[in-house]
Amino acid sequence: MFGRCLTGSRIAFLLGWITLLLNHVLPAASLECNSEKQLENRENQLKDTLLCKGYRTNVRPRKDHTQTVNVTVAYYVLTYEFEESDNLLQLGVWMELQWTDEYLRWNSTEWSGIERLAIGSEEIWMPDFRHFSSYYNPEDLNECANPKCSVAPNGTVVCLPVCGMNAKCDADYSRWPFDVHRCNLWYGTWANSMDEVDVHILDVCLGRNPEFKSPKWNVISLATGRSVVQSSDNYMYNVLNVEVMLVRRASYEYVAIVGPILVLALFNVYIVWLRSISFERKVLLGLSIFSHFSYLKQLEWALPYNRDTLPDCMIFMVCSTVFTVLLLIFTLLNCWIRTRLRRESTTGSFIDRITGSFSQSRVAELILAADYLELSYKVTQEEKENFWARLGKLIDRALAIVCVIVYIFLVWLFIPFNHELDELSGVNCVISA
């Protein structure tokens, strides 16, 4: 997995950086015990003394077996990428493991002032520290680079493995393209209980080098947690958690997806300000319905494929499509009402009295006084006096007002304009690689 996350240049850069970190450590090749040629070197003599006289890599480095080996971990996220098709987070991680090995101690004054010793991880005891929550693909298993370790005279061992890791995420696309995803990685010891090996995460840091950043995603929070689980044989094991929170860098998606949605909404608002009996209104409503269905099909390909959460912008489009169909139905109904213009006016009827009373109010004057958005529209005396004409115009105005209110509500409810974030721990540690 890690090979797919890092390009060749990034790998070379990363390995070069780790080499610089260990530059102060005296170089040492893998030791062959009892090799007379190698023992001519003072450093190899020290390694022979430490490793070739009963040292065992499968035994905890404690002379008193009741004592616990305390391991501290510094966790550095160098590269990251999120695969939307699988809701899979891929990480390039550099870890710094540190513990004390009581069998790897020496007096530097007796050994020509040697203060650091480079030893391969396969030559010494290593903590059984594993990633539990990795999502494995059949073709490619996650691995950590076999690191060199630095050993100090007091027995302090520091190892720097570089690992490619991945984990399934709790993906939430409801506010797409301002979506936020929480990804949890779980770590712990596989064979040793916490009485034997106790692991703690000290730091969780993020690499800030531009060449390591994802062009599409941004890490806004790195948090750690620690819990304890009990096995069936009553042994206690600690489980460490690293939570990575990602947000999408919304740019192209917002313009290319949300922009046309808002244009279709404004198009409907314009349409309802045309007369219901006009031919243009019916044609444009039919065109709007066709555009809505076509764009829904387009969104099916553009939006992330996820069956758990439906993006709010898709819900907006469905509501807008249904509302456009209703506008067409009410337009046809109002056309039938306006055809009564040619019939005898029903002056004196109950409906006419209510309509007339309402039309005389100041609110109705403002609503009815506005002209239709038609270049060829002219107000006739007959339309002013006929009851059905006044009712038809009142329905047109009511539909226009309802249309504006509905779209304001839908935009407020379903169209995101920024990321919605709860209280976050943030990224408290940033490093330059």
Side-chain angles (χ1 to χ4, degrees):
M1 284 292 180
F2 188 50
R4 293 183 298 190
C5 294
L6 290 175
T7 63
S9 60
R10 290 186 179 182
I11 294 176
F13 183 82
L14 182 60
L15 293 179
W17 178 58
I18 295 176
T19 302
L20 289 176
L21 285 178
L22 294 176
N23 193 40
H24 63 283
V25 180
L26 295 177
S30 179
L31 179 69
E32 294 181 10
C33 292
N34 301 320
S35 173
E36 295 181 1
K37 187 175 181 179
Q38 286 189 347
L39 291 181
E40 295 176 359
N41 181 284
R42 189 61 172 165
E43 183 181 338
N44 286 336
Q45 292 176 10
L46 174 58
K47 291 183 67 174
D48 181 78
T49 301
L50 296 175
L51 302 177
C52 297
K53 296 182 179 180
Y55 186 89
R56 300 184 63 180
T57 60
N58 58 350
V59 176
R60 291 186 308 113
R62 287 292 181 268
K63 295 178 181 179
D64 183 357
H65 72 278
T66 61
Q67 292 183 349
T68 302
V69 179
N70 293 305
V71 180
T72 59
V73 181
Y75 192 95
Y76 306 102
V77 177
L78 299 181
T79 63
Y80 54 91
E81 195 56 66
F82 182 71
E83 294 184 3
E84 297 178 64
S85 57
D86 293 326
N87 294 336
L88 187 67
L89 173 66
Q90 294 187 359
L91 291 177
V93 176
W94 164 53
M95 291 187 291
E96 180 181 330
L97 305 177
Q98 181 173 325
W99 67 94
T100 300
D101 191 323
E102 295 182 354
Y103 298 108
L104 298 179
R105 289 176 173 171
W106 71 91
N107 189 337
S108 60
T109 58
E110 298 177 359
W111 290 94
S112 303
I114 297 177
E115 295 291 341
R116 289 288 186 273
L117 194 64
I119 301 178
S121 59
E122 72 281 356
E123 299 180 86
I124 61 175
W125 177 88
M126 291 285 292
D128 186 25
F129 185 67
R130 304 198 181 190
H131 178 207
F132 295 152
S133 59
S134 180
Y135 178 76
Y136 293 100
N137 289 329
E139 311 88 22
D140 192 6
L141 298 181
N142 293 327
E143 293 181 354
C144 291
N146 192 22
K148 284 286 185 179
C149 297
S150 170
V151 184
N154 61 358
T156 300
V157 182
V158 178
C159 294
L160 304 171
V162 179
C163 307
M165 299 179 177
N166 55 35
K168 279 286 190 177
C169 299
D170 183 15
D172 183 8
Y173 294 99
S174 59
R175 292 183 58 83
W176 188 93
F178 292 99
D179 41 337
V180 180
H181 306 291
R182 294 178 182 269
C183 307
N184 286 279
L185 299 96
W186 304 91
Y187 300 90
T189 55
W190 190 261
N192 298 112
S193 67
M194 62 183 303
D195 292 331
E196 298 170 327
V197 177
D198 196 9
V199 185
H200 298 265
I201 294 182
L202 293 183
D203 298 311
V204 179
C205 301
L206 178 66
R208 65 180 178 183
N209 295 58
E211 62 270 20
F212 289 165
K213 291 184 178 180
S214 169
K216 196 173 183 179
W217 302 93
N218 189 31
V219 174
I220 59 169
S221 176
L222 289 173
T224 62
R226 190 171 187 267
S227 58
V228 177
V229 296
Q230 184 175 3
S231 64
S232 58
D233 53 0
N234 294 326
Y235 283 99
M236 308 300 290
Y237 294 83
N238 56 10
V239 178
L240 306 179
N241 167 239
V242 176
E243 183 188 70
V244 182
M245 183 172 291
L246 296 166
V247 296
R248 186 189 303 270
R249 300 176 187 267
S251 55
Y252 164 77
E253 290 86 356
Y254 199 79
V255 175
I257 303 298
V258 180
I261 291 176
L262 297 178
V263 169
L264 285 175
L266 294 175
F267 185 50
N268 278 357
V269 172
Y270 165 76
I271 291 174
V272 295
W273 212 256
L274 300 175
R275 284 185 302 169
S276 57
I277 60 173
S278 66
F279 178 73
E280 294 90 339
R281 176 161 173 165
K282 302 179 186 65
V283 172
L284 292 179
L285 279 174
L287 178 62
S288 179
I289 293 174
F290 175 78
S291 300
H292 275 75
F293 279 108
S294 299
Y295 200 66
L296 279 172
K297 190 64 178 178
Q298 179 68 24
L299 286 179
E300 182 182 353
W301 294 96
L303 293 177
Y305 181 78
N306 189 290
R307 295 296 184 186
D308 297 331
T309 54
L310 185 65
D312 287 346
C313 57
M314 177 70 84
I315 300 176
F316 179 94
M317 280 299 299
V318 172
C319 295
S320 182
T321 303
V322 173
F323 186 65
T324 306
V325 174
L326 291 177
L327 286 177
L328 180 59
I329 293 175
F330 280 108
T331 295
L332 295 176
L333 179 62
N334 202 21
C335 283
W336 175 81
I337 293 176
R338 281 181 170 272
T339 57
R340 302 294 298 271
L341 175 63
R342 299 174 183 175
R343 301 187 182 183
E344 183 179 350
S345 177
T346 56
T347 304
S349 66
F350 175 73
I351 299 178
D352 188 28
R353 289 195 298 269
I354 295 178
T355 307
S357 300
F358 175 75
S359 62
Q360 293 175 2
S361 66
R362 184 169 297 275
V363 176
E365 287 180 4
L366 294 175
I367 295 175
L368 297 176
D371 291 335
Y372 288 103
L373 297 178
E374 295 178 58
L375 296 178
S376 59
Y377 172 71
K378 294 181 180 180
V379 181
T380 62
Q381 187 65 28
E382 186 181 15
E383 187 174 358
K384 291 182 178 180
E385 297 177 354
N386 188 276
F387 157 72
W388 294 106
R390 293 199 309 270
L391 180 60
K393 189 173 184 179
L394 189 61
I395 293 175
D396 280 346
R397 292 294 186 261
L399 282 178
I401 295 174
V402 169
C403 182
V404 172
I405 294 175
V406 166
Y407 275 113
I408 291 176
F409 177 75
L410 290 178
V411 169
W412 174 76
L413 194 62
F414 294 117
I415 301 299
F417 294 97
N418 50 40
H419 294 101
E420 188 177 69
L421 304 174
D422 300 326
E423 289 190 15
L424 302 175
S425 60
V427 179
N428 300 319
C429 177
V430 179
I431 61 171
S432 295

